Amino acid sequence: MFQKWLKHIVEGSTHFGIEVNEVDGKERFSLLKLVHRNKELENILEMTTDSLDTIILHLDKNVPVFLTLNTANVLKKMVDQVHNPKSAKLVLDAFPNLQLEDFYYQILTGDTKQLVSLAKKEYVQSYVEKVQTMGIPVFSIALGTSTIHTISGFLDKPILGPNYILEFQKGTLVDFALTVPEKTGKYVLNGLTVSSDHLLSFSHILGHVIAAVTSSNLQKINKAHSDAFKNKRLFDFGLKTSICFFLVLLLSNFLFFTHFSKKNTEIKSALASNEQQGHSIQQLKARILEKEERLQVLDHSKNARVSLYLDEIGQKLPHSILLSRIEYQPLVTPVTANKSINTKKEIISISGVSEDKQEFTTWTDHFERQEWIERVEIVTYEYLSNASVTFTINIALIEI
């Protein structure tokens, strides 16, 4: 499973095949695009043109290209061999006195006949460099018609290629000729239709998919090109994955930061609110303590007597006088922390508004005649208008 996943990363499921051949001394380029889906190859695109620039318009630099060279610079010769000797000896049998180290070769094997395709290393390397310079990512190289053995079992008639004729019987090679057929055709390969101009590219790609083995000395150069392509794909995948990972990480950090920042703000607000509530509680406690102290003072006074006096004050209150405050033993100074509470002993302080000066005078004179009152002191007397005044009087009680 891992190998399949890794292969998909470094190769993908799409493959391009480019066949370079010559007809009447002029190069032609055939492009084939295959997609590997559900263990089957699907033919997506076929095109043939005289311009390599046209081919490039349809390529994707991240998709491997299988390059098949079948030009006049690739020599092809069929050799009769009942036994299959070593590949190098077979090449030398086909091309005597050859400096084999200067050539690449690939062999299409049969039962009694072998087709040897041969090209100078200098030609192959220069052509590959040329197409790579144009941005074509070469993944694998094949020479002549050597890869066609992968589809020979599906063929029941001669193959009429753009510049060759091949004949198979029961899947084995029986004849080969260099010629330009009058017409080319289409071939059905296990339900897939492929034109003759693209058979070499198709068999080249299929050979890679099924890991078919061919007699060749192209393994080293093909491995170098495939490794370079895979490394590039792997680097691109790793780079994109890393960028996505860090973007997701940054986004996650931002979301977490936003979430925790919001929570932190809520906690700070709650703490500030609690602190404010604590401060309010302390103030409330101070007020309660103040009232308790006042109550203690009042508890020691002569409650019954004072209540009687307050009732009498209320009964004798004229309609023209409106009281706003009546207080027994008012504070000398406001209550402060760590200081004792001082009150005006045996004093009733009365504040209010009078709308009749004569009634106010009569009311105060009445208090001065009472036996339980020592004296009446007008503390404040201020005009609000011509008809009303505000006042504060202190009534000093006679201690019994």
Side-chain angles (χ1 to χ4, degrees), residues 13 149 243 328:
S13 57
H149 72 93
I243 292 174
Y328 175 63

Side-chain angles (χ1 to χ4, degrees), residues 337-360:
N338 302 322
K339 289 186 178 182
S340 60
I341 298 176
N342 295 320
T343 61
K344 296 179 180 180
K345 302 297 183 180
E346 301 299 329
I347 296 294
I348 296 177
S349 178
I350 302 174
S351 298
V353 177
S354 174
E355 295 181 350
D356 190 322
K357 180 179 179 182
Q358 185 60 43
E359 282 193 348
F360 176 77

Side-chain angles (χ1 to χ4, degrees), residues 45-230:
L45 172 67
E46 289 184 359
M47 67 173 297
T48 301
T49 178
D50 295 333
S51 172
L52 192 58
D53 291 331
T54 304
I55 294 290
I56 294 173
L57 296 176
H58 298 272
L59 295 180
D60 185 338
K61 292 182 180 181
N62 290 318
V63 175
V65 173
F66 293 76
L67 179 65
T68 302
L69 298 176
N70 190 28
T71 65
N73 288 292
V74 180
L75 305 178
K76 292 168 282 291
K77 187 174 182 181
M78 195 159 65
V79 180
D80 294 329
Q81 281 287 351
V82 177
H83 302 289
N84 291 330
K86 292 183 178 180
S87 300
K89 185 177 185 306
L90 188 61
V91 174
L92 292 175
D93 287 346
F95 300 95
N97 303 320
L98 190 73
Q99 297 293 328
L100 194 59
E101 62 273 11
D102 295 333
F103 291 84
Y104 287 119
Y105 65 84
Q106 200 166 12
I107 302 171
L108 174 59
T109 59
D111 291 340
T112 60
K113 297 181 182 295
Q114 325 292 329
L115 181 59
V116 179
S117 298
L118 187 78
K120 284 187 175 182
K121 289 183 177 181
E122 181 183 356
Y123 167 72
V124 174
Q125 291 171 351
S126 64
Y127 208 97
V128 171
E129 289 174 0
K130 170 188 172 183
V131 296
Q132 284 183 326
T133 302
M134 298 177 72
I136 298 176
V138 175
F139 185 85
S140 177
I141 305 164
L143 298 177
T145 60
S146 303
T147 59
I148 208 142
H149 72 93
T150 59
I151 60 173
S152 59
F154 300 99
L155 302 172
D156 56 0
K157 60 182 179 180
I159 301 174
L160 306 179
N163 57 4
Y164 64 89
I165 298 177
L166 278 171
E167 186 173 351
F168 291 86
Q169 289 182 0
K170 296 180 180 180
T172 187
L173 177 67
V174 295
D175 196 14
F176 166 77
L178 285 172
T179 183
V180 178
E182 293 182 0
K183 63 177 182 178
T184 58
K186 293 183 178 295
Y187 298 83
V188 179
L189 308 172
N190 196 27
L192 183 66
T193 302
V194 181
S195 68
S196 58
D197 285 344
H198 304 90
L199 281 177
L200 295 182
S201 292
F202 180 84
S203 60
H204 191 179
I205 295 172
L206 179 63
H208 171 74
V209 172
I210 65 176
V213 178
T214 59
S215 298
S216 172
N217 66 344
L218 288 165
Q219 291 88 347
K220 186 176 180 180
I221 185 174
N222 279 342
K223 187 176 186 308
H225 286 296
S226 64
D227 286 349
F229 179 84
K230 290 177 181 178

Side-chain angles (χ1 to χ4, degrees), residues 239-254:
L239 181 62
K240 291 175 182 177
T241 302
S242 298
I243 292 174
C244 291
F245 171 76
F246 284 112
L247 285 176
V248 171
L249 184 62
L250 288 173
L251 179 60
S252 300
N253 286 341
F254 173 75

